[in-house]
Amino acid sequence: MRKPSARVRPREVYVFTEGEVTEPGYIDFVRNYGELKDPGRPFEIHFENARVPSKRRKPPQLVEDAVDCLARVERAARQAGLDKEKDWNWPQVWCFFDRDEHKDIGHAFARAQKAGVSIAYSHPCFELWRLLHYQDYTSRLGGVCDRAAALLKKQPGFAATYGGRGGSVSHGQEKHVKPEQFAAAARDQNRFEQAKRYATRLGGARPGVDPALWDPHTDVHNFVEDGLGVFKY
């Protein structure tokens, strides 16, 4: 990715993640390998809860922390002379969380939307987004993340990205994303566009407005495109 010019103020993107390893690893991958649609519009990532304990990583708490962060960074942006309606580099705040077995997903969504915090949401979990880089998938997963993870680990070449010869991947290993799991095999391919296309179909078929019932669902592509301005990796 082209380095930001000293004359251009990057868009600051503040991220709160439920996961401590996988989501930050993926975001780092996009930061390092993603291609900007407009090279003149760089971004900076700020992992706001990198050292926060697990008990503060549930969706409602994530959102509350993100709301506080949004107020702070928007105040700083105004003081720097930015205009929310006119400037592309107005800061954004995003929360990454999954359906898993949380019972308060709807409340977290409502609170975030009211405050202006953006959400990257996966049902049942982030592994679905990773899976869509390999194949289309439309069947219900019953909210069971282990099923999505099992499908991911069976994908051709996935185990090899960890360097093992036995073809198996442990639960601890799979949490660590590898660039080869997202990168295209040829220069004219765009695995992000493929995953986005599959995810968009899922979004068009979701039942009703309750995110707890969107099985399966992932909209991580919105973060990549709308938050970072990346169109390819």
Side-chain angles (χ1 to χ4, degrees):
M1 180 179 297
R2 185 180 299 180
K3 293 184 178 180
S5 166
R7 296 185 298 274
V8 177
R9 177 189 174 103
R11 170 186 287 164
E12 296 181 333
V13 182
Y14 298 82
V15 182
F16 293 78
T17 65
E18 179 183 359
E20 298 179 52
V21 178
T22 309
E23 291 92 331
Y26 170 75
I27 295 168
D28 269 336
F29 163 78
V30 178
R31 173 164 56 184
N32 294 330
Y33 294 92
E35 295 185 28
L36 290 172
K37 186 174 183 180
D38 184 342
R41 295 186 172 187
F43 62 85
E44 289 182 355
I45 297 287
H46 301 268
F47 291 104
E48 287 297 292
N49 67 331
R51 294 179 175 82
V52 170
S54 298
K55 64 182 180 180
R56 288 184 60 86
R57 290 176 175 267
K58 305 302 182 185
Q61 187 61 61
L62 277 183
V63 171
E64 290 303 325
D65 290 346
V67 169
D68 291 343
C69 175
L70 183 63
R72 171 173 54 83
V73 301
E74 287 194 334
R75 183 168 57 250
R78 285 190 290 269
Q79 292 173 348
L82 294 182
D83 187 303
K84 186 174 183 179
E85 302 301 323
K86 298 179 181 179
D87 291 315
W88 65 268
N89 51 355
W90 186 260
Q92 293 188 10
V93 178
W94 286 78
C95 285
F96 274 67
F97 58 80
D98 301 336
R99 171 66 179 96
D100 287 331
E101 298 180 359
H102 302 303
K103 301 183 183 301
D104 36 25
I105 292 294
H107 170 74
F109 262 81
R111 179 73 173 107
Q113 290 169 351
K114 182 178 180 179
V117 169
S118 300
I119 293 175
Y121 173 65
S122 299
H123 189 318
C125 58
F126 188 78
E127 277 61 40
L128 174 64
W129 172 243
R130 298 170 71 187
L131 177 65
L132 296 183
H133 287 74
Y134 289 91
Q135 67 164 81
D136 194 3
Y137 189 85
T138 59
S139 300
R140 289 175 58 85
L141 288 160
V144 181
C145 186
D146 285 349
R147 292 177 61 184
L151 288 167
L152 178 64
K153 289 191 286 188
K154 291 179 181 178
Q155 296 304 308
F158 182 81
T161 64
Y162 295 98
R165 297 181 178 179
S168 62
V169 182
S170 71
H171 180 66
Q173 280 181 315
E174 77 183 36
K175 288 181 176 292
H176 297 271
V177 300
K178 300 293 182 179
E180 298 85 357
Q181 296 165 6
F182 304 102
R187 291 182 61 85
D188 61 346
Q189 293 180 336
N190 185 348
R191 291 184 74 179
F192 167 71
E193 184 63 31
Q194 169 189 295
K196 171 193 164 185
R197 184 169 65 252
Y198 295 155
T200 301
R201 288 180 195 162
L202 293 178
R206 67 192 189 193
V209 298
D210 184 355
L213 303 179
W214 300 346
D215 181 12
H217 173 89
T218 183
D219 51 29
V220 175
H221 56 283
N222 290 335
F223 168 79
V224 176
E225 284 192 318
D226 301 337
L228 307 184
V230 167
F231 79 103
K232 182 180 181 181
Y233 47 62

